[in-house]
Amino acid sequence: MSIGIRPLHPLFVGEVSGIDISQPLSRTDVAAIEAGMDRYAVLAFPGQGITDDQQCEFSRNFGELEVTLAGQMAKPEDRRLAKLELGDISNLDAQEKLRARDDSRRMYALANRLWHSDASFRAVGAGYTLLHGRIIPKSGGNTEFADMRAAYDALDDATKAEIDGLITEHSIVFSREQIGFTDYATEHTDKLRPVPHRLVEMHPVTGRKSLYLSSHIGGIVGWPVPEARAFIRDLTEHATQPQFVYSHAWRVNDLVMWDNRTVMHRARRFRDLEEVRDLRRTSIKGTGLAVEPVSAVAAE
Ligand SMILES: [Fe+2]
């Protein structure tokens, strides 16, 4: 069996065949997947029936696993999944019941419907995210992806020159603020502090530049806040035009893997008070960035 990849979107999404990710991978397989990620940025692996442990094992081929912020902030008795490395992307509570409309965790997670890059609120954001579909609603609940390399390439030269070297400030507070969520426990304030990132990043392997955008952005260093937010909104609008976007309609046992350094994504609405959607997420620390995050805020 050898790995094959066919395009699902001409710019940046491929579908992988000829692999069983529940089994240990050879170095050749890992290299083929990494090369596919560099070429595309999003890879879908359909028909992969895997356990939580197998998802973690498969993910570890690509680096160190992140512990999710939502998992860290949840009380142990409120966690549905035992493993902290496994993000619970579902609308179920610890008793496997649908979360109520005013459930705080539900409202927090609704910000995933805004375009974002995973964990960009951390000093080192996520590299790859891997999402596995366990229970899929009858309609809605797609995940959309936008190619930040193509979006960068399509900017005019004046804008490219203007944004080169700009430093943005990211915090989970900024994305939640946009949907009116402010209900944080006070003991977590250290995790809410803004972190700096470059607006334009260069991929460590391909050398391609991309926009590092995210709804977690709340400012640009040296800019007045309203000007920064209006500009980030403009760039986001540019970067998520239909020609840069792929919408993934989930099937049970799809695993979709993407590179947060080169794509943004968002979840789409579904009838989450009536239907179950259960996906499991693993994320890899975003090492190898050509441009390391700098402490621009401290330098101010
Ligand atoms: Fe996400």
Side-chain angles (χ1 to χ4, degrees):
M1 211 160 53
S2 72
I3 293 179
I5 305 179
R6 76 176 179 99
L8 291 179
H9 183 285
L11 287 178
F12 73 114
V13 185
E15 183 181 81
V16 184
S17 58
I19 186 169
D20 176 356
I21 66 170
S22 70
Q23 301 302 312
L25 300 193
S26 68
R27 289 171 83 134
T28 318
D29 290 341
V30 174
I33 293 169
E34 285 177 335
M37 288 297 286
D38 290 341
R39 154 77 180 82
Y40 290 94
V42 181
L43 290 179
F45 300 73
Q48 302 287 342
I50 50 170
T51 63
D52 292 350
D53 284 337
Q54 287 167 336
Q55 180 169 350
C56 289
E57 280 314 303
F58 175 66
S59 304
R60 280 196 191 95
N61 285 301
F62 308 102
E64 192 186 333
L65 300 191
E66 294 263 18
V67 173
T68 68
L69 183 61
Q72 280 177 337
M73 294 204 293
K75 297 191 193 85
E77 65 270 25
D78 292 339
R79 281 203 289 266
R80 189 171 68 97
L81 307 178
K83 284 174 167 300
L84 267 179
E85 299 92 341
L86 209 66
D88 182 5
I89 310 298
S90 80
N91 53 336
L92 298 171
D93 64 17
Q95 285 72 47
E96 304 283 339
K97 292 209 295 282
L98 289 171
R99 289 187 183 273
R101 191 165 207 173
D102 60 353
D103 180 294
S104 178
R105 175 78 190 259
R106 169 181 185 261
M107 293 191 288
Y108 172 89
L110 284 172
N112 290 326
R113 296 185 188 176
L114 307 177
W115 286 106
H116 65 283
S117 174
D118 282 340
S120 75
F121 47 78
R122 290 189 167 155
V124 178
Y128 295 164
T129 291
L130 301 92
L131 200 52
H132 186 241
R134 301 291 180 88
I135 301 173
I136 306 301
K138 285 196 282 293
S139 67
N142 282 14
T143 302
E144 291 183 349
F145 298 93
D147 186 350
M148 295 298 102
R149 306 166 304 183
Y152 175 82
D153 291 346
L155 292 171
D156 60 60
D157 288 345
T159 308
K160 283 180 185 166
E162 188 184 5
I163 65 175
D164 192 36
L166 287 185
I167 304 292
T168 52
E169 295 169 320
H170 299 232
S171 164
I172 195 89
V173 173
F174 298 138
S175 52
R176 270 59 194 167
E177 195 178 284
Q178 292 187 46
I179 58 164
F181 179 91
T182 52
D183 186 16
Y184 298 100
T186 47
E187 69 261 32
H188 300 302
T189 44
D190 59 314
K191 299 186 177 71
L192 310 179
R193 221 170 278 134
V195 299
H197 289 290
R198 291 193 191 273
L199 179 54
V200 179
E201 281 185 346
M202 189 185 283
H203 193 276
V205 177
T206 64
R208 278 189 78 179
K209 287 186 172 177
S210 57
L211 287 170
Y212 193 50
L213 287 172
S214 191
S215 58
H216 305 312
I217 298 177
I220 297 173
V221 173
W223 287 40
V225 168
E227 187 183 359
R229 292 195 185 182
F231 183 54
I232 292 298
R233 193 174 276 227
D234 270 356
L235 281 178
T236 302
E237 210 169 281
H238 159 79
T240 54
Q241 294 176 83
Q243 66 267 34
F244 305 132
V245 172
Y246 163 78
S247 184
H248 188 74
W250 287 93
R251 288 162 300 178
V252 172
N253 287 335
D254 278 351
L255 182 127
V256 179
M257 176 172 180
W258 65 90
D259 190 339
N260 290 288
R261 297 166 299 186
T262 48
V263 294
M264 273 206 295
H265 64 283
R266 66 172 175 178
R268 301 300 279 162
R269 195 165 184 268
F270 70 104
R271 301 173 78 82
D272 73 301
L273 300 172
E274 295 158 30
E275 282 198 84
V276 176
R277 181 177 184 260
D278 182 358
L279 292 87
R280 312 278 164 100
R281 188 183 86 173
T282 36
S283 288
I284 309 295
K285 281 199 174 120
T287 54
L289 291 172
V291 182
E292 293 298 330
V294 293
S295 3
V297 177
E300 282 257 283

